[in-house]
Amino acid sequence: MHLRFLGGVGEVGRSAVLVDDRLLLDYGMKSDTPPGFPVGDPDPEAVVVSHGHLDHAGVVPALLSGRDPPAVHWTPPTAELTRTLARDTLKLHGNSYRCPFTEADVARLGEVAESHGYGEPFEVAGYEVTLLDAGHIPGSAHVVVDDGDTRLLYTGDFHTGDQRLVAGTTARPDADVVVAESTYSDVEHTDRAVLEERFVESVRTTLWEGGTVVVPAFAIGRTQELLMVCEAHDIPCYVDGMGKGVTRMLQRHPGFVRDADALDRAASHARFVTGRDGQRERIADQPVAVVTTSGMLSGGPAMTYVPAVRRNPTNKVTLTGYQVEGTPGRELLETGRAEFDGRVLPVSARVESYDFSAHADRHGLRAFLDRYRDVPVFVGHGDRCEAFADELCADGFDASAPALGDAVET
C-alpha cells in the first residue's frame, strides 16, 4: 500500500492522505490567510471523508469539477455537515481565492455521494472500507481500508472520553499500519465533570450579578455540547449563528448522538436568535448566556455580541475551545483586546477559557495507540508531530512523522 501525505502533517488543517493514487482520505482546508489547501493535484477514484469539520472536508467539492468526478463516501451527518460548510464557504468567499469550488460542484455531491453507517463494510476503488465511531462529533469515523494484504487504520479525529453529545470511541480494529492524529499530544484534559462544574458556576455567578455571558463556540459539536450543559443546569440561554441549523440537523440523526432525548431537550430549552430588529443588541443587555459562532471570534454573530458587552466588567466572554495563534480569540486571551470589524477594541468584560475539547488528550492518545505497538504508526494532525513520534519511538513504537508531500510504502 502506497501512502502520500497531501496535508495535515506537522499542522492542524488541510488533512488529506492519498492511498495508491486511487483512494483519498479526507480533503480539508487550513483557515489561514491565505488559506491552505492540500498539495498536489489528486485524481482519485473515490474519497472517504472522516467527519464534517472544515479541516477534513472543507474542499471536497473542489474534486468534482472534472468530467469523471470521484465517488464520495461518508456517514449521513458528515454528508449534511460538509454541504453546510460548503454553502457557508460559498456565501463568505465565493468567486475568490478562498473558495476553490463553485455552486455546481456542491450540487454535484448529490450525484456522486453515498452514505454508510458504522460497522458496515463497503467496496470502493478496489478496497473494502469500514467506518467506525470515532467519538469526536456526530458522524465522525475511524476509516479502515483493506486491500486484501494490508489493513490501514486512518484514525481521523477522535476522543476516548465521553461528552454529553457523543460517547468516546471504543473501537480498536486490527490494523497493519496506522495514520493517527496527535492534536493534544502534550496536554492532559481537565476531568470533564470538573470542567463543566467550573463553567456552570462561572456563568451562574455572572447571571446572578446581572451580567451577560457570551459563549463563542464552534458550530459543529461544541455548540450542541454547550446547549446540553445549559439545559442540564437550567441556565437560560440563546443560540445564534451556524450552530442553529447544525443543531436542528443533528436532531434528524438521533442514532449518531449519545442521547437524542437530551439533545431535543437542549434545543427546546434554548431560544433561537433570528437577528431581526436589533434583537442581538437587546439580548446583550439581558442576564443570559449566548452560545454563538464563531469559536475563535473570526466572524459570525460573536462579532456583534462581544463589542456589545465589552465595556461592562460584570459581563463575561467564555471561550470554549483552542484559540489558534493569530485569531481574534487568541489575541483577546493574551492582550485583553481584539479586532472587530476592522477596529481593535479593548474588552473590560472578564475573559475566561474552558477547553471543552472533542479530541483525545495525551493519555487518551497513548491508551488508544497502545493496541498498535507492533505496526508502523504515522503521526499527523498536530503542531508537534515529530516530538510525539519521537516519544512513541522511545517507548518501543515504530513511529514517524511524515512531511508534507511525503510518500511511503507499507
Side-chain angles (χ1 to χ4, degrees):
M1 190 176 284
H2 179 86
L3 306 180
R4 187 179 297 276
F5 297 88
L6 308 183
V9 286
E11 61 186 358
V12 176
R14 59 172 173 178
S15 290
V17 178
L18 187 60
V19 181
D20 297 329
D21 293 323
R22 302 202 309 269
L23 179 65
L24 186 60
L25 307 179
D26 284 343
Y27 203 63
M29 67 179 293
K30 189 174 183 180
S31 299
D32 283 351
T33 302
F37 304 120
V39 300
D41 188 19
D43 185 23
E45 296 176 30
V47 186
V48 179
V49 182
S50 67
H51 68 282
H53 272 158
L54 201 64
D55 56 333
H56 291 258
V59 286
V60 169
L63 297 165
L64 308 183
S65 58
R67 291 185 177 180
D68 189 20
V72 179
H73 298 265
W74 41 27
T75 63
T78 299
E80 292 207 48
L81 291 170
T82 301
R83 290 186 176 95
T84 297
L85 289 171
R87 288 192 292 266
D88 189 60
T89 301
L90 280 167
K91 177 181 176 181
L92 295 174
H93 306 296
N95 299 314
S96 79
Y97 69 96
R98 300 187 69 91
C99 182
F101 53 84
T102 66
E103 291 184 14
D105 298 331
V106 177
R108 192 173 292 185
L109 280 171
E111 303 170 9
V112 301
E114 183 176 346
S115 295
H116 308 272
Y118 293 137
E120 302 172 357
F122 55 94
E123 298 292 328
V124 57
Y127 304 93
E128 181 183 85
V129 176
T130 308
L131 305 178
L132 303 172
D133 189 350
H136 176 58
I137 63 171
S140 62
H142 304 301
V143 183
V144 179
V145 180
D146 191 336
D147 67 1
D149 295 316
T150 301
R151 282 173 61 88
L152 165 69
L153 168 60
Y154 176 72
T155 69
D157 292 353
F158 68 94
H159 199 348
T160 53
D162 290 342
Q163 305 170 67
R164 286 186 177 271
L165 184 62
V166 291
T169 179
T170 58
R172 303 294 188 274
D174 291 340
D176 302 306
V177 59
V178 177
V179 176
E181 72 129 313
S182 63
T183 315
Y184 282 90
S185 64
D186 60 343
V187 172
E188 295 286 351
H189 293 324
T190 301
D191 178 81
R192 181 54 70 99
V194 173
L195 179 72
E196 185 174 307
E197 182 179 349
R198 291 176 184 169
F199 172 80
V200 168
E201 181 63 26
S202 175
V203 172
R204 280 178 171 165
T205 298
T206 298
L207 302 190
W208 181 82
E209 293 172 345
T212 305
V213 183
V214 179
V215 188
F218 307 125
I220 298 171
R222 191 64 43 81
T223 287
Q224 296 74 41
E225 181 79 6
L226 290 164
L227 294 183
M228 295 173 80
V229 169
C230 288
E231 188 279 331
H233 296 277
D234 199 25
I235 293 172
C237 67
Y238 286 87
V239 59
D240 203 349
M242 187 193 296
K244 296 184 296 181
V246 172
T247 300
R248 295 301 192 202
M249 183 277 288
L250 292 178
Q251 289 181 274
R252 298 196 296 269
H253 297 284
F256 288 88
V257 299
R258 183 181 178 189
D259 186 338
D261 290 339
L263 179 60
D264 289 343
R265 289 195 303 271
S268 296
H269 174 78
R271 286 168 280 184
F272 282 58
V273 178
T274 65
R276 294 192 295 267
D277 302 324
Q279 184 188 22
R280 293 186 175 109
E281 288 74 12
R282 293 194 300 273
I283 291 171
D285 285 331
Q286 300 177 25
V288 294
V290 187
V291 181
T292 182
T293 48
S294 72
M296 298 184 193
L297 302 182
S298 54
M303 307 304 280
T304 297
Y305 290 112
V306 177
V309 306
R310 70 180 179 89
R311 291 186 175 90
N312 187 346
T314 303
N315 296 330
K316 189 171 288 179
V317 179
T318 58
L319 300 166
T320 58
Y322 182 71
Q323 305 297 307
V324 172
E325 187 173 353
T327 62
R330 181 70 166 266
E331 184 182 2
L332 180 61
L333 270 180
E334 294 180 345
T335 70
R337 60 181 61 231
E339 182 175 328
F340 300 94
D341 293 329
R343 297 178 299 159
V344 177
L345 302 175
V347 176
S348 298
R350 288 167 288 179
V351 179
E352 297 177 348
S353 179
Y354 298 87
D355 188 9
F356 283 90
S357 177
H359 290 266
D361 65 1
R362 178 182 180 84
H363 174 75
L365 286 167
R366 293 299 299 265
F368 181 92
L369 291 174
D370 195 59
R371 169 78 170 76
Y372 305 103
R373 283 180 170 271
D374 299 325
V375 304
V377 176
F378 297 102
V379 176
H381 200 285
D383 295 327
R384 56 186 303 275
C385 297
E386 289 190 15
F388 186 52
D390 289 343
E391 292 168 12
L392 291 174
C393 287
D395 196 25
F397 284 80
D398 177 11
S400 59
L404 187 63
D406 275 1
V408 298
E409 294 285 343
T410 64

